[in-house]
Amino acid sequence: MDRNNGVVIVGAGHAGVQLAASLREEGYAGAITLLSDDPRAPYQRPPLSKAYMKREADAEALILRGPAFYEQKAVDLRRGVEALAIDRAARVVRLMTGDSVGYDALVLATGGQARAFPVPGADLAGVHALRDMGDAEALRHKLETSKSVVVVGAGFIGLEFAAVAAKAGLKTSVVEVAPRVMGRAVSSTISDFYAQAHRGFGVDLHLGVGVGAIKGKDGQACGVRLADGRVLPADFVVVGIGVVARDGLAKAAGLDCPNGVRVDARLATRDPHVFAIGDVALHPNAFGHREMRLESVQNATDQARALARTLTGKPTDYMALPWFWSDQGDLKLQMVGLADTASTFVTRGDPATRAFSVLGFDAGGRLVSVESVNKAADHMIGRKLIPMQAKLTPAQAADTSFDLKTLARG
């Protein structure tokens, strides 16, 4: 790679900031420009629906790297500067300031944005997403000034917020069009356990029903009308129906974006000077056996590390094992591997103890996923067993006397 214009990174979330750090760690001495359309210092997003929402962490605790990092590592962080267009022929990014910045390598780490909710009333005041610090600040205030909330969507974000709201004393309802909670991400055993747990938290779950409209009064949301005609009153509404890739910049530049920015195993687009990492990258995943976008800190940071090696002359395929986590009430869910690649699941431990794991095996009998509730040790063992393709049978996995730790040592 040339060293004249250097590397330009669009997006300063986990992926973008990690790439800047990893480039220096790999010995890259050229210019690094990090563009962020957010005027705030780069920060972590996952705690927004967890520790930050519960006021267990303030905004300063969420900062990804202190200001000294950018100066010490000679990273040109430009906050509050939006990238408007990419001129691939000239290798230039045009900015909202009217300036342009040239690149030898351009990395899109633009992340995702909350999926729009196409129902009447979605534009009323009091209808919120939970994606960035501004959203989180508004919702923390709502928790202190409201008595009821309806959460649309029983994915991780929706359930994390619902648990916080119920604990804060709000009448909390969750509406999910699918028949079970977290249905696209976890096994039915985990899903059923969390549905029961949330009811125990005081959350009213409405599963298998859609939303017809958000009702309003004087321009303010006051409830949700379900597709079956029932109305759930609410002082405010939180919509968490998923994330879409922020790939508009790439699309406008003529890059392939069927669901995010399509990249190869080395995270390169069909333009050899343009790459994508993090939530926006549609990549061939070795563990999912298909192209996919993964919305996780692990994926963002591991892709950044792999790309840093490639950009410094050490071509590296992205092969990292996916893992995720979610804090809901007193329950910490940790997942490794992809449960949707499993065809057989066994439970290790007793769910009644609120500390157990579910292990998933594919049709060939290989361990492909471990979902752990308040069982951090099982999660860490799973992160070793899956890549090593350990010889473990479902019967052994279900037997708590069978020593997984010894098996993980090889």
Side-chain angles (χ1 to χ4, degrees):
M1 184 174 63
D2 298 333
R3 298 299 176 90
N4 296 323
N5 291 314
V7 178
V8 174
I9 306 165
V10 183
H14 282 277
V17 172
Q18 182 63 55
L19 178 59
S22 294
L23 282 168
R24 293 301 186 219
E25 290 166 4
E26 295 292 337
Y28 179 68
I32 300 175
T33 304
L34 183 58
L35 303 174
S36 174
D37 59 7
D38 193 323
R40 302 176 180 87
Y43 61 91
Q44 306 172 60
R45 291 180 186 265
L48 293 177
S49 57
K50 307 175 183 71
Y52 185 79
M53 193 59 58
K54 294 184 285 187
R55 296 190 179 273
E56 295 174 356
D58 59 17
E60 187 175 350
L62 271 57
I63 292 176
L64 275 169
R65 304 269 180 163
F69 164 81
Y70 302 98
E71 181 179 353
Q72 291 170 358
K73 300 299 182 182
V75 175
D76 181 10
L77 171 63
R78 304 189 191 184
R79 290 159 49 176
V81 175
E82 183 180 357
L84 295 182
I86 302 167
D87 184 335
R88 288 166 48 207
R91 291 194 216 166
V92 163
V93 179
R94 307 200 186 282
L95 309 178
M96 65 175 291
T97 58
D99 298 329
S100 297
V101 57
Y103 63 84
D104 299 315
L106 173 64
V107 182
L108 302 175
T110 45
Q113 61 191 24
R115 186 182 298 277
F117 192 37
V119 302
D123 57 347
L124 287 166
V127 179
H128 299 265
L130 178 44
R131 183 64 187 166
D132 59 26
M133 182 71 75
D135 297 332
E137 289 172 349
L139 287 172
R140 287 210 308 188
H141 176 70
K142 287 286 189 180
L143 287 174
E144 295 172 347
T145 58
S146 306
K147 295 182 179 179
S148 61
V149 60
V150 171
V151 179
V152 180
F156 296 129
I157 296 295
L159 292 181
E160 287 168 1
F161 182 81
V164 174
K167 187 173 183 179
L170 279 70
K171 178 175 174 52
T172 304
S173 301
V174 173
V175 180
E176 170 58 57
V177 69
R180 59 188 182 92
V181 303
M182 300 182 289
R184 291 184 300 169
V186 303
S187 65
S188 59
T189 300
I190 292 292
S191 186
D192 293 346
F193 172 81
Y194 270 86
Q196 182 179 358
H198 275 272
R199 293 185 176 107
F201 296 156
V203 176
D204 292 329
L205 294 180
H206 303 270
L207 304 178
V209 61
V211 171
I214 297 176
K215 296 178 63 66
K217 182 179 181 181
D218 300 326
Q220 174 74 34
C222 64
V224 172
R225 178 169 56 79
L226 304 183
D228 61 13
R230 288 177 293 157
V231 175
L232 305 177
D235 294 330
F236 67 105
V237 177
V238 176
V239 177
I241 57 171
V243 172
V244 295
R246 292 186 62 193
D247 57 8
L249 190 65
K251 282 181 179 176
L255 295 172
D256 192 12
C257 301
N259 171 26
V261 183
R262 175 173 275 149
V263 295
D264 62 19
R266 292 182 180 168
L267 305 167
T269 69
R270 59 186 177 85
D271 182 328
H273 301 283
V274 183
F275 304 80
I277 57 175
D279 292 8
V280 77
L282 178 66
H283 67 280
N285 189 275
F287 293 90
H289 310 296
R290 65 189 187 277
E291 281 189 325
M292 60 195 313
R293 286 193 311 107
L294 286 177
E295 297 156 8
S296 73
V297 172
Q298 168 276 318
N299 181 67
T301 55
D302 283 344
Q303 285 189 342
R305 293 184 180 107
L307 182 56
R309 290 191 287 272
T310 293
L311 294 179
T312 52
K314 302 174 282 286
T316 302
D317 287 357
Y318 178 64
M319 298 288 289
L321 174 65
W323 54 267
F324 317 82
W325 81 94
S326 176
D327 294 331
Q328 300 174 32
D330 63 332
L331 304 171
K332 188 174 193 68
L333 173 62
Q334 294 172 286
M335 299 151 285
V336 58
L338 299 167
D340 67 2
T341 63
S343 56
T344 300
F345 295 94
V346 297
T347 302
R348 184 177 177 87
D350 183 1
T353 66
R354 300 172 78 82
F356 68 101
S357 294
V358 175
L359 287 77
F361 296 80
D362 68 12
R366 292 173 300 183
L367 179 68
V368 293
S369 67
V370 179
E371 305 163 304
S372 301
V373 178
N374 293 343
K375 273 285 192 179
D378 285 0
H379 173 74
M380 296 308 297
I381 290 170
R383 285 167 63 171
K384 295 180 180 179
L385 291 177
I386 294 174
M388 66 187 286
Q389 296 189 6
K391 293 183 179 179
L392 176 70
T393 68
Q396 289 171 332
D399 181 359
T400 55
S401 69
F402 183 83
D403 189 358
L404 294 179
K405 188 180 295 185
T406 297
L407 182 63
R409 294 194 190 108

